[in-house]
Amino acid sequence: MKIWQASNGELRRVLEGHVFDVNCCRFFPSGLVVLSGGMDAQLKIWSAEDANCVVTFKGHKGGILDTAIVDRGRNVVSGSRDGTARLWDCGRSACLGVIADCGSSINGVAVGAADNSINLGSPEQTPSEREVGTEAKMLLLAQEDKKLQCLGLQSRQPVFLFIGSDAFNCCTFLSGFLLLAGTQDGNIYQLDVRSPRTPVQVIHRSGAPVLSLLSFRDGFIASQGDGSCFIVQQDLDYVIELTGADCDPVYKVATWEKQIYTCCRDGLVRRYQLSDL
């Protein structure tokens, strides 16, 4: 993994230690620490200041495909090809439990604060005191077996299960009850947790896999396997295309204030500057 100075593209740090591919990485809220997951089934925490790997979590039996940070980051969640989602205690580098065992690869995970109207159920056992910030949180799992599953993060109880048109690749929360999930055949489902049986809407712009979804301002940003990347405003009539990737998949989108960053199979990280929309 490489850490770049965003303003000028200067390489600042190289984080080395994973074996095989690194599938996902993100900063903790502090901006000083990085969480990564790899095909070596390891989850690692790094110092962005000196590039040291400070913690390695082991326990998954397959590659880690996505992660989520709970609150300020004392706990994190991982989703893996082994079909499990796990909750980890960063301070003690220990697994606090298997939140879900899906029997199918978990391609995407998201954690969100639940609206008061949503019943998340009660935990069967008293949660460990090492669990911090899991109450009133939902965990969303995008699965290879066409299932999108939502659970109470603390309760481990199911909230809903939705069957899509194809494998789910990615998911994100838009609010305390609205969420998005993208499939391998190009569908973006918008669901309301309070009545998840029927989608609020399904957006389909091409048959290319939806690879990344991110809440942004009043809408969201999506990227697909055909190189398309676009911003959808809340009324959904208004779409801004981010150009530059030519037919190569745009794997991931990240934002910081008015900047949007994309990473593409062509080996480039692109930065877009948005004026006031």
Side-chain angles (χ1 to χ4, degrees):
M1 281 171 296
K2 295 180 177 180
I3 297 179
W4 308 82
Q5 181 73 31
S7 55
N8 60 10
E10 178 194 344
L11 181 61
R12 298 291 298 274
R13 301 281 183 276
V14 179
L15 310 181
E16 294 180 296
H18 277 290
V19 189
F20 312 124
D21 295 6
V22 181
N23 291 328
C24 48
C25 57
R26 63 174 75 240
F27 282 101
F28 278 79
S30 68
L32 302 174
V33 186
V34 174
L35 176 68
S36 66
M39 288 310 281
D40 54 9
Q42 297 186 92
L43 197 62
K44 288 179 176 284
I45 294 177
W46 312 75
S47 164
E49 296 174 292
D50 61 13
N52 273 340
C53 176
V54 289
V55 173
T56 299
F57 299 113
K58 295 182 179 177
H60 278 295
K61 309 250 183 331
I64 292 165
L65 300 179
D66 201 10
T67 62
I69 291 172
V70 182
D71 264 6
R72 281 186 272 178
R74 296 206 13 214
N75 294 170
V76 297
V77 175
S78 57
S80 165
R81 287 178 68 162
D82 65 13
T84 67
R86 291 172 180 257
L87 182 70
W88 305 86
D89 173 0
C90 297
R92 292 191 181 160
S93 60
C95 181
L96 290 169
V98 175
I99 308 279
D101 190 345
C102 306
S104 172
S105 179
I106 298 173
N107 296 326
V109 301
V111 170
D115 186 79
N116 293 336
S117 62
I118 296 162
N119 178 13
L120 297 180
S122 301
E124 289 172 6
Q125 294 155 342
T126 307
S128 157
E129 77 255 357
R130 301 293 301 177
E131 271 194 40
V132 181
T134 56
E135 62 277 330
K137 297 282 194 318
M138 299 177 284
L139 174 65
L140 193 59
L141 305 175
Q143 299 172 202
E144 186 68 26
D145 59 4
K146 305 186 183 181
K147 292 176 182 171
L148 180 71
Q149 188 174 178
C150 181
L151 305 113
L153 182 55
Q154 187 182 72
S155 71
R156 324 283 205 257
Q157 302 295 325
V159 176
F160 76 79
L161 178 66
F162 180 83
I163 312 288
S165 55
D166 204 345
F168 280 100
N169 291 330
C170 52
C171 56
T172 191
F173 286 102
L174 295 177
S175 73
F177 52 85
L178 283 177
L179 60 92
L180 292 174
T183 60
Q184 185 68 15
D185 60 357
N187 284 326
I188 298 172
Y189 290 91
Q190 185 177 356
L191 297 178
D192 187 325
V193 179
R194 300 166 301 184
S195 55
R197 284 189 181 166
T198 310
V200 178
Q201 62 187 342
V202 182
I203 299 161
H204 185 94
R205 301 196 71 210
S206 82
V210 181
L211 300 178
S212 180
L213 288 167
L214 184 64
S215 175
F216 183 71
R217 309 246 180 113
D218 293 337
F220 64 90
I221 308 174
S223 72
Q224 292 189 260
D226 57 3
S228 67
C229 186
F230 52 93
I231 308 169
V232 178
Q233 296 301 98
Q234 191 171 18
D235 54 13
L236 301 174
D237 302 338
Y238 190 48
V239 174
I240 298 170
E241 297 277 354
L242 302 180
T243 61
D246 181 25
C247 301
D248 275 307
V250 177
Y251 293 128
K252 193 80 178 172
V253 183
T255 59
W256 177 257
E257 293 176 347
K258 291 181 184 176
Q259 320 273 337
I260 298 175
Y261 300 86
T262 63
C263 68
C264 177
R265 192 174 65 187
D266 61 14
L268 297 178
V269 175
R270 292 176 171 84
R271 180 174 65 146
Y272 301 85
Q273 172 78 40
L274 285 187
S275 56
D276 287 315
L277 296 176

